Amino acid sequence: MATGISSNRCSICEKNAAMCNCIGCKAFFCMKHFNEHRQQLTIQFDVDVVEAHDKLLEQINQMEELKNTSSDLFSTIDQWESSTIEIVKRTADRARQQLTQLLDNEKEALRKQFDSLTQEIRRRREEDEFAENDLRQFRERINKLQQSLKQLAQPNNIDVIASQIGQVDWNRLIYVEKQKEKVLPRSAHTDIDAIWINNGITVAGGNKQGNGLNQLNSPQGICVDNEDQSIYITDWCNHRIIKWKSNEKNGQVVAGGNGQGNQMNQLSNPLDIIIDKESDNLIICDSGNHRVMLWSCRNASTGRVIISNIDCRGLALDTNGFLYVSDHKKNEVRRWRIGESEGIVVAGGNEKGNRLDQLNGPQGVFVDRDHSVYVSDMNNYRVMKWMEGAKEGIVVAGGQGKGNNPTQLSSPYGVIVDQSDTVYIVDCGNHQIVRWPNGAIEGNVVVGGNGCGDKTNQLNYPVGFSFDQFGNLYVSDNGNHRIKKFNILSSTCQ
């Protein structure tokens, strides 16, 4: 409260004497009544402020006693703690059981493979029927089992995965799972009843034949990078690899594009391409130069040769990082460890012919998780499957001569196999993609099959194809100088 001198009358006695002004309430008082007003304010301060403050202090000091008045709430917390601990214990016990069962299954699988190998070794020894190639294959299988045994002793393909704090899915606080195998390039993640919309969408090229960044010239092999849905295309007559990002109108040259030639920055009629995610490289079938090249995905200006003097047509990678290459001239498929100078014949290699141990103009190649090799045997109008270590293959599609009925193929090119061993084939001469279920004697049309043309439901000598992670189908429509995307309509995609 502040005061000031004024000549106004006192608000109590109304005397016109020397007055004091209360700044707080704006009233005027004589000296007598001003002192009384100040005493009243002091009493009010003690009641309204000091007493209230002291009461609040007492309440604060009694906070510890609040626990006793909230026993139900604390009981709820205690019950939650007890039940949660029990859930964690049960989940941990389940994880132990899963791990035990998984290890037992691994042991049993290893034992079965060993028993099978033992029987075959005994049979071959008793019949005294083996050659140098058999010795090498047996040694490889023994080495593979030894590696599996080491892995079983110190398993690095099994993860124990504990949920992080903040994740409240109690059934997955901790669980055991085997690591997923690598997804094979261009693998078809679809079910046997999958259907694709037969009217495709042009996602690259389609602006007539040419060498502009919005054009293609007889595209061949393609693969889809599932990280960003970009398409890598072997632009055959432009002697380049072009990367086409999703929904872009132009592509980007990522290899070659410096004219036809055999320098390290050039390509000549590239036919096929795959992405090696482990090394972040492109592997390119540089057909015109009879070589296979490795080209970094990091905008490298040059590549390097990893295989020379080979009439390469198709490429594939297996889950162990081995590279498979079809050799059109030698009528064989070889398996290579990248960096080694010699490959191993895994299909064909017995001169040109149509026997089960021969090939005639092999093109596309695919390797499944069991390391079986599928080859589009173009000039025999069939697709062959060679199981690992087999001396001859089996016909899994076609083999009934050239034609367009459901039991025949016409110049098969690309081949991809899905999880149920259904074989997908580019039936180039019939301008369609066909599907042959495992063990079927005839195939069915997936897309195309409406004659040669440039309509949305037609293809013009397709050669390469690829699936994305959602099951959508991409086709290299060679004669129309474009890449078509056929969206999947229905499937239980894996």
Side-chain angles (χ1 to χ4, degrees), residues 3 30 40 50 52 54 70 91 124 214 235-236 288 299-300 308 310 327 345 350 371-372 384 387 410-411 428 465 476:
T3 62
C30 64
Q40 290 175 354
V50 176
D54 293 343
S70 305
T91 305
R124 292 290 187 90
N214 67 340
D235 195 5
W236 191 61
N299 297 319
S308 302
I310 183 169
D327 189 323
V345 176
N350 297 299
H371 301 137
S372 295
M384 301 287 290
M387 299 180 68
S410 177
S411 300
C428 176
F465 71 141
S476 178

Side-chain angles (χ1 to χ4, degrees), residues 10-266:
C10 174
S11 61
I12 302 297
C13 65
E14 297 186 351
K15 291 181 179 181
N16 190 11
M19 294 294 150
C20 295
N21 172 227
C22 177
I23 303 300
C25 63
K26 308 297 183 181
F28 295 91
F29 302 95
C30 64
M31 288 300 297
K32 176 184 177 182
H33 290 121
F34 176 75
N35 290 333
E36 293 176 355
H37 179 66
R38 187 173 61 181
Q39 290 174 358
Q40 290 175 354
L41 287 177
T42 300
I43 294 171
Q44 188 176 359
F45 182 85
D46 290 340
V47 173
D48 292 348
V49 177
V50 176
E51 288 185 6
H53 167 268
D54 293 343
K55 186 176 181 180
L56 176 62
L57 176 62
E58 182 180 355
Q59 292 173 340
I60 290 175
N61 291 334
Q62 293 176 349
M63 282 179 56
E64 294 298 322
E65 299 177 4
L66 291 176
K67 291 182 180 179
N68 297 328
T69 62
S70 305
S71 58
D72 290 344
L73 296 177
F74 282 96
S75 176
T76 300
I77 294 174
D78 292 340
Q79 291 175 6
W80 176 86
E81 178 185 26
S82 177
S83 61
T84 300
I85 291 173
E86 183 61 31
I87 292 173
V88 171
K89 287 182 178 179
R90 289 200 304 267
T91 305
D93 288 340
R94 183 167 62 249
R96 293 187 187 96
Q97 295 173 2
Q98 290 173 339
L99 180 57
T100 300
Q101 184 63 49
L102 187 56
L103 292 173
D104 288 345
N105 292 343
E106 294 282 305
K107 293 176 185 177
E108 181 64 23
L110 181 61
R111 172 61 68 179
K112 288 182 179 180
Q113 293 179 46
F114 178 76
D115 291 344
S116 175
L117 176 63
T118 301
Q119 293 177 6
E120 189 169 350
I121 290 174
R122 288 176 178 174
R123 181 180 63 81
R124 292 290 187 90
R125 191 66 183 87
E126 290 173 357
E127 296 176 356
D128 197 20
E129 183 179 315
F130 48 84
E132 288 82 354
N133 191 47
D134 297 318
L135 299 179
R136 183 171 63 251
Q137 292 178 3
F138 278 127
R139 282 196 295 268
E140 288 179 357
R141 291 174 65 181
I142 291 173
N143 290 336
K144 185 177 178 181
L145 287 176
Q146 288 175 334
Q147 293 174 359
S148 298
L149 185 60
K150 290 180 181 178
Q151 188 179 46
L152 187 59
Q154 294 181 335
N156 56 13
N157 65 332
I158 297 175
D159 288 334
V160 176
I161 304 170
S163 295
Q164 299 299 312
I165 295 175
Q167 297 178 353
V168 291
D169 184 356
W170 297 113
N171 288 325
R172 294 178 66 85
L173 275 178
I174 185 170
Y175 61 97
V176 176
E177 71 175 11
K178 187 174 181 179
Q179 288 180 353
K180 296 180 180 179
E181 296 181 12
K182 300 176 184 177
V183 177
L184 295 173
R186 299 177 286 193
S187 182
H189 291 269
T190 60
D191 69 86
I192 197 170
D193 297 319
I195 299 173
W196 287 264
I197 298 175
N198 206 31
N199 290 304
I201 304 168
T202 299
V203 293
N207 296 299
K208 298 183 180 181
Q209 181 180 5
N211 61 4
L213 291 180
N214 67 340
Q215 294 176 306
L216 297 171
N217 192 344
S218 302
Q220 297 275 333
I222 58 173
C223 61
V224 179
D225 185 348
N226 284 322
E227 289 186 0
D228 60 4
Q229 298 301 107
S230 294
I231 312 167
Y232 288 83
I233 309 162
T234 56
D235 195 5
W236 191 61
C237 286
N238 284 325
H239 316 291
R240 65 188 183 183
I241 304 299
I242 193 162
K243 177 182 179 181
W244 215 293
K245 294 183 179 180
S246 179
N247 299 320
E248 292 287 336
K249 294 182 179 180
N250 296 325
Q252 172 192 359
V253 177
V254 294
N258 297 300
Q260 183 176 16
N262 60 7
Q263 302 300 311
M264 291 300 102
N265 68 340
Q266 293 179 306

Side-chain angles (χ1 to χ4, degrees), residues 307-345:
I307 303 175
S308 302
N309 301 316
I310 183 169
D311 189 8
C312 54
R313 299 299 175 93
L315 304 170
L317 275 176
D318 69 14
T319 53
N320 294 325
F322 283 98
L323 176 64
Y324 296 71
V325 187
S326 62
D327 189 323
H328 187 270
K329 182 177 180 180
K330 293 183 178 179
N331 295 290
E332 65 184 20
V333 176
R334 283 182 178 263
R335 184 183 70 204
W336 304 75
R337 182 180 293 278
I338 296 178
E340 292 184 351
S341 58
E342 293 294 332
I344 298 173
V345 176

Side-chain angles (χ1 to χ4, degrees), residues 403-467:
N404 62 2
N405 70 50
T407 65
Q408 295 177 305
L409 296 171
S410 177
S411 300
Y413 267 76
V415 57
I416 298 177
V417 183
D418 70 9
Q419 307 300 309
S420 61
D421 293 336
T422 297
V423 183
Y424 293 79
I425 309 155
V426 177
D427 191 9
C428 176
N430 289 321
H431 316 287
Q432 60 191 10
I433 309 298
V434 294
R435 169 174 57 191
W436 289 63
N438 185 23
I441 60 174
E442 63 180 39
N444 56 80
V445 177
V446 173
V447 296
N450 298 302
C452 179
D454 61 359
K455 296 180 181 178
T456 57
N457 67 343
Q458 291 181 308
L459 298 170
N460 185 351
Y461 292 101
V463 285
F465 71 141
S466 184
F467 290 89

